[in-house]
mmCIF file of all heavy atoms in Angstrom:
data_model
loop_
_atom_site.group_PDB
_atom_site.id
_atom_site.type_symbol
_atom_site.label_atom_id
_atom_site.label_comp_id
_atom_site.label_asym_id
_atom_site.label_seq_id
_atom_site.Cartn_x
_atom_site.Cartn_y
_atom_site.Cartn_z
ATOM 1 N N LEU A 87 168.585 218.857 66.995
ATOM 2 C CA LEU A 87 168.044 219.845 67.934
ATOM 3 C C LEU A 87 169.244 220.604 68.472
ATOM 4 O O LEU A 87 170.127 220.001 69.103
ATOM 5 C CB LEU A 87 167.256 219.158 69.023
ATOM 6 C CG LEU A 87 166.076 218.323 68.551
ATOM 7 C CD1 LEU A 87 165.523 217.473 69.682
ATOM 8 C CD2 LEU A 87 165.003 219.173 67.942
ATOM 9 N N VAL A 88 169.283 221.891 68.222
ATOM 10 C CA VAL A 88 170.414 222.700 68.637
ATOM 11 C C VAL A 88 169.930 223.560 69.802
ATOM 12 O O VAL A 88 168.919 224.227 69.752
ATOM 13 C CB VAL A 88 170.967 223.614 67.531
ATOM 14 C CG1 VAL A 88 172.077 224.470 67.960
ATOM 15 C CG2 VAL A 88 171.347 222.776 66.304
ATOM 16 N N GLU A 89 170.720 223.601 70.878
ATOM 17 C CA GLU A 89 170.419 224.295 72.109
ATOM 18 C C GLU A 89 170.125 225.734 71.754
ATOM 19 O O GLU A 89 170.902 226.403 71.071
ATOM 20 C CB GLU A 89 171.573 224.224 73.074
ATOM 21 C CG GLU A 89 171.397 224.928 74.386
ATOM 22 C CD GLU A 89 170.657 224.019 75.388
ATOM 23 O OE1 GLU A 89 170.713 222.781 75.241
ATOM 24 O OE2 GLU A 89 170.130 224.582 76.324
ATOM 25 N N GLY A 90 169.005 226.254 72.239
ATOM 26 C CA GLY A 90 168.639 227.700 72.046
ATOM 27 C C GLY A 90 167.962 228.034 70.723
ATOM 28 O O GLY A 90 167.621 229.200 70.512
ATOM 29 N N ARG A 91 167.804 227.052 69.866
ATOM 30 C CA ARG A 91 167.132 227.329 68.614
ATOM 31 C C ARG A 91 165.714 226.779 68.619
ATOM 32 O O ARG A 91 165.440 225.651 69.045
ATOM 33 C CB ARG A 91 167.872 226.704 67.433
ATOM 34 C CG ARG A 91 169.231 227.402 67.198
ATOM 35 C CD ARG A 91 169.774 226.968 65.892
ATOM 36 N NE ARG A 91 171.075 227.633 65.678
ATOM 37 C CZ ARG A 91 172.025 227.212 64.867
ATOM 38 N NH1 ARG A 91 171.736 226.163 64.088
ATOM 39 N NH2 ARG A 91 173.136 227.851 64.716
ATOM 40 N N PRO A 92 164.747 227.581 68.153
ATOM 41 C CA PRO A 92 163.298 227.156 68.239
ATOM 42 C C PRO A 92 162.875 226.308 67.058
ATOM 43 O O PRO A 92 161.720 226.300 66.730
ATOM 44 C CB PRO A 92 162.577 228.493 68.284
ATOM 45 C CG PRO A 92 163.454 229.375 67.435
ATOM 46 C CD PRO A 92 164.890 228.957 67.692
ATOM 47 N N PHE A 93 163.765 225.573 66.455
ATOM 48 C CA PHE A 93 163.385 224.731 65.321
ATOM 49 C C PHE A 93 164.267 223.476 65.307
ATOM 50 O O PHE A 93 165.282 223.445 65.996
ATOM 51 C CB PHE A 93 163.514 225.487 63.979
ATOM 52 C CG PHE A 93 164.876 226.035 63.731
ATOM 53 C CD1 PHE A 93 165.875 225.288 63.164
ATOM 54 C CD2 PHE A 93 165.193 227.355 64.096
ATOM 55 C CE1 PHE A 93 167.138 225.809 62.942
ATOM 56 C CE2 PHE A 93 166.438 227.898 63.858
ATOM 57 C CZ PHE A 93 167.428 227.123 63.294
ATOM 58 N N ALA A 94 163.818 222.509 64.525
ATOM 59 C CA ALA A 94 164.593 221.287 64.344
ATOM 60 C C ALA A 94 165.087 221.239 62.902
ATOM 61 O O ALA A 94 164.445 221.769 62.010
ATOM 62 C CB ALA A 94 163.730 220.063 64.619
ATOM 63 N N GLU A 95 166.208 220.639 62.668
ATOM 64 C CA GLU A 95 166.766 220.427 61.326
ATOM 65 C C GLU A 95 166.488 219.014 60.951
ATOM 66 O O GLU A 95 166.771 218.092 61.678
ATOM 67 C CB GLU A 95 168.272 220.705 61.315
ATOM 68 C CG GLU A 95 168.711 222.090 61.651
ATOM 69 C CD GLU A 95 170.207 222.185 61.693
ATOM 70 O OE1 GLU A 95 170.965 221.364 61.096
ATOM 71 O OE2 GLU A 95 170.708 223.144 62.327
ATOM 72 N N PHE A 96 165.954 218.791 59.759
ATOM 73 C CA PHE A 96 165.740 217.476 59.166
ATOM 74 C C PHE A 96 166.647 217.360 57.980
ATOM 75 O O PHE A 96 166.506 218.063 56.986
ATOM 76 C CB PHE A 96 164.251 217.307 58.735
ATOM 77 C CG PHE A 96 163.300 217.141 59.881
ATOM 78 C CD1 PHE A 96 162.940 218.178 60.626
ATOM 79 C CD2 PHE A 96 162.708 215.862 60.105
ATOM 80 C CE1 PHE A 96 162.071 218.039 61.701
ATOM 81 C CE2 PHE A 96 161.841 215.754 61.132
ATOM 82 C CZ PHE A 96 161.463 216.788 61.953
ATOM 83 N N GLU A 97 167.575 216.409 58.025
ATOM 84 C CA GLU A 97 168.452 216.157 56.847
ATOM 85 C C GLU A 97 168.314 214.692 56.484
ATOM 86 O O GLU A 97 168.604 213.810 57.273
ATOM 87 C CB GLU A 97 169.908 216.472 57.262
ATOM 88 C CG GLU A 97 170.867 216.206 56.168
ATOM 89 C CD GLU A 97 172.359 216.507 56.637
ATOM 90 O OE1 GLU A 97 172.560 217.253 57.581
ATOM 91 O OE2 GLU A 97 173.237 215.900 56.022
ATOM 92 N N PHE A 98 167.853 214.447 55.274
ATOM 93 C CA PHE A 98 167.680 213.083 54.883
ATOM 94 C C PHE A 98 168.586 212.749 53.675
ATOM 95 O O PHE A 98 168.940 213.644 52.856
ATOM 96 C CB PHE A 98 166.209 212.749 54.513
ATOM 97 C CG PHE A 98 165.618 213.538 53.433
ATOM 98 C CD1 PHE A 98 165.713 213.249 52.153
ATOM 99 C CD2 PHE A 98 164.901 214.723 53.802
ATOM 100 C CE1 PHE A 98 165.159 214.029 51.143
ATOM 101 C CE2 PHE A 98 164.278 215.458 52.843
ATOM 102 C CZ PHE A 98 164.431 215.135 51.519
ATOM 103 N N THR A 99 168.972 211.514 53.599
ATOM 104 C CA THR A 99 169.785 210.964 52.464
ATOM 105 C C THR A 99 169.034 209.800 51.879
ATOM 106 O O THR A 99 168.648 208.882 52.564
ATOM 107 C CB THR A 99 171.175 210.529 52.962
ATOM 108 O OG1 THR A 99 171.812 211.626 53.616
ATOM 109 C CG2 THR A 99 171.998 210.024 51.838
#
Side-chain angles (χ1 to χ4, degrees):
L87 301 170
V88 180
E89 183 85 21
R91 292 194 181 160
F93 56 86
E95 297 175 19
F96 286 74
E97 179 182 336
F98 58 87
T99 302

